[in-house]
Amino acid sequence: QVQLIESGGGLVQAGGSLRLSCAASGRTFITYAMGWFRQAPGKEREFVAAINKSGGTTYYADSVKGRFTISRDNAKNTVYLQMNSLKPEDTAVYRCAAADSYDRFSYPDEYDYWGQGTQVTVSS
């Protein structure tokens, strides 16, 4: 089992940047692929980005490609989401998730563990 705790959310103006962190504890971090999802009020949960166990392969939603970067530090048991050029439509609760393995990295059901989330609000 693994516990996930997100941090780094907040209020930022459009065009600004934030870096989210997700710290993992419990089972060995490197055994998990990691993902970030977000959910805005009244909307379904949306895939944002994912990274494989070694950190060598990343995936992004089209809506964030070129603006967001996912990375991981296996020595620190932490995955990051660097968010640049933020837009009001990026406003949501962002949650990290861990998967023992996945075939479909953008599907929430593929992930086994979830953090509680951190709020990101982008003002126009």
Side-chain angles (χ1 to χ4, degrees):
Q1 192 141 10
V2 65
Q3 293 77 44
L4 304 172
I5 299 177
E6 302 94 337
S7 61
L11 173 64
V12 64
Q13 288 189 329
S17 298
L18 284 174
R19 188 176 83 153
L20 305 184
S21 299
C22 173
S25 61
R27 234 179 77 182
T28 308
F29 180 65
I30 198 170
T31 64
Y32 293 100
M34 300 296 295
W36 285 97
F37 290 77
R38 66 187 182 186
Q39 189 166 16
K43 294 188 176 182
E44 292 189 354
R45 187 165 39 185
E46 176 188 21
F47 167 75
V48 176
I51 189 167
N52 71 344
K53 297 176 183 181
S54 68
T57 303
T58 57
Y59 309 92
Y60 296 94
D62 288 343
S63 59
V64 306
K65 203 171 292 183
R67 300 187 298 122
F68 291 11
T69 303
I70 188 171
S71 61
R72 66 189 294 162
D73 186 337
N74 288 336
K76 295 183 178 180
N77 291 351
T78 303
V79 63
Y80 305 97
L81 186 67
Q82 178 67 45
M83 306 186 295
N84 299 330
S85 302
L86 282 161
K87 305 174 181 180
E89 51 263 45
D90 294 319
T91 295
V93 174
Y94 284 71
R95 300 177 70 185
C96 67
D100 286 321
S101 63
Y102 56 46
D103 293 322
R104 303 174 302 169
F105 52 84
S106 64
Y107 284 70
D109 289 349
E110 294 284 306
Y111 292 81
D112 304 292
Y113 305 102
W114 292 82
Q116 291 298 307
T118 185
Q119 176 71 46
V120 171
T121 304
V122 184
S123 63
S124 56

